[in-house]
Amino acid sequence: MKSNSQPIKLFLVVAFSCVSLLVSLIPVLAKPTDDSSVSDAVRGASRREGGLRRSSDPKTTVAQATTFKQPPLPPGLPPGGRVRGGAKRGGCPLAKPDLTALMPSTKEANSVINVWGQTIGERPSWFFYVPYTKDLPYEVEFVLQDQDSNEIYQKAIALPDKPGVIRVSLPTTAPALALNKPYLWFFTINCDKEKNSPPTFLQGVIQRVQLNPATVKELQTTEPLKRYSIYAQNGIWYEALTILAQLRQKNPQDAALQAEWRNLLSSIRLDDIVAEPILSDKP
């Protein structure tokens, strides 16, 4: 027994050492090659593929790409204007959001606010957020004047059933807008029965312009959401807003259209109007 014990002990020592060595090597053997550039490239490719798949939806693609391009102010005197009604003006009660024109505006260095936008239509539509309802005895009016302050259209506006965005359009009986001429519009609410206070008002300038023939041809052969994108990218506010408002009314649960609406109003600093309902699409 003694003569065999030494070889057995030696065998066990050697075997144990081999097992220990193998165990110590397992984490090293199991660990992948330390090539961070390759793994990062693979992960990057995976992310890019995921991004491409997400953007393959045409509505999502337009929503990610569309940006309203505000054109420069027209030559001559700044148009001025008012995009918000103003707290307590004309005796109207405080409201949040305030009476608001869905119009782009710029603020100059001298704090002058310019409210203006372009259209290609002879008889465009305006959109206003109105916080007051028909149960209130307020007088509401829309007026359009030419550059010489001559009134060319006037209409009494009925207050809506609930607060929201309303649409006011020039009817076929109104004179068509002439090309490249500025027109001044007013949207007023008189909340003072005695009319001792001036009305709350919104004010801005609209100008009809022409697009180049290639863009006009493209607009004639594309679907509405793409037309919206073309108008927005060419600085044509009135048609861009009208198309998007109509699409949202027809598809109120469409996430891509909701994103477009949010993006458009946020681009002109009207984030507080994004969630308000569009009440009527009738001229």
Side-chain angles (χ1 to χ4, degrees):
M1 294 293 293
K2 289 184 179 181
S3 61
N4 294 332
S5 62
Q6 290 300 326
I8 292 174
K9 288 182 179 180
L10 181 60
F11 172 78
L12 291 175
V13 171
V14 172
F16 181 80
S17 300
C18 291
V19 171
S20 300
L21 177 61
L22 181 60
V23 170
S24 66
L25 287 174
I26 286 175
V28 178
L29 294 172
K31 185 178 180 181
T33 303
D34 185 17
D35 188 347
S36 59
S37 62
V38 173
S39 60
D40 287 346
V42 172
R43 286 193 293 270
S46 176
R47 286 194 295 269
R48 288 192 296 273
E49 287 176 2
L52 289 172
R53 283 195 296 270
R54 287 191 296 272
S55 63
S56 62
D57 180 354
K59 289 185 178 180
T60 303
T61 301
V62 174
Q64 291 172 344
T66 300
T67 301
F68 176 69
K69 184 178 180 181
Q70 174 76 336
L73 290 174
L77 293 175
R82 189 181 183 91
V83 77
R84 303 276 191 175
K88 292 187 177 180
R89 185 180 179 87
C92 293
L94 291 173
K96 290 186 179 181
D98 197 0
L99 176 69
T100 303
L102 274 63
M103 283 290 301
S105 62
T106 59
K107 188 173 183 180
E108 308 306 314
N110 56 2
S111 297
V112 172
I113 302 295
N114 292 308
V115 182
W116 86 288
Q118 295 183 152
T119 180
I120 64 165
E122 293 183 346
R123 295 176 178 85
S125 296
W126 288 256
F127 289 82
F128 303 99
Y129 170 74
V130 180
Y132 310 117
T133 56
K134 66 180 184 180
D135 57 320
L136 298 170
Y138 300 159
E139 295 181 3
V140 186
E141 186 179 60
F142 176 82
V143 174
L144 185 67
Q145 298 178 346
D146 65 17
Q147 58 187 338
D148 298 319
S149 299
N150 298 311
E151 186 175 298
I152 64 171
Y153 181 70
Q154 179 275 334
K155 180 178 176 60
I157 306 297
L159 285 171
D161 294 336
K162 61 181 182 179
V165 175
I166 67 169
R167 176 182 178 183
V168 178
S169 300
L170 282 185
T172 55
T173 55
L177 300 186
L179 278 171
N180 302 317
K181 291 185 178 181
Y183 292 82
L184 186 63
W185 56 261
F186 297 89
F187 186 87
T188 62
I189 296 185
N190 196 325
C191 302
D192 184 358
K193 293 181 180 180
E194 305 300 326
K195 297 186 178 180
N196 294 322
S197 302
T200 298
F201 73 95
L202 307 172
Q203 174 190 338
V205 170
I206 183 173
Q207 187 165 338
R208 182 183 166 210
V209 298
Q210 277 185 317
L211 292 171
N212 64 67
T215 303
V216 172
K217 184 177 180 180
E218 185 180 6
L219 286 165
Q220 293 172 346
T221 58
T222 190
E223 49 90 22
L225 191 56
K226 180 60 177 176
R227 288 204 304 273
Y228 155 73
S229 180
I230 293 171
Y231 282 127
Q233 291 169 359
N234 282 273
I236 308 299
W237 175 259
Y238 283 83
E239 280 68 28
L241 181 64
T242 299
I243 288 175
L244 191 55
Q246 291 172 332
L247 288 172
R248 284 217 62 214
Q249 281 193 297
K250 293 177 182 177
N251 307 279
Q253 304 304 319
D254 190 301
L257 293 176
Q258 291 174 1
E260 283 288 4
W261 186 254
R262 184 183 308 108
N263 178 65
L264 182 65
L265 295 190
S266 295
S267 72
I268 59 169
R269 301 178 300 281
L270 296 184
D271 304 76
D272 57 337
I273 307 299
V274 168
E276 301 300 327
I278 304 171
L279 300 181
S280 176
D281 194 36
K282 295 180 181 180

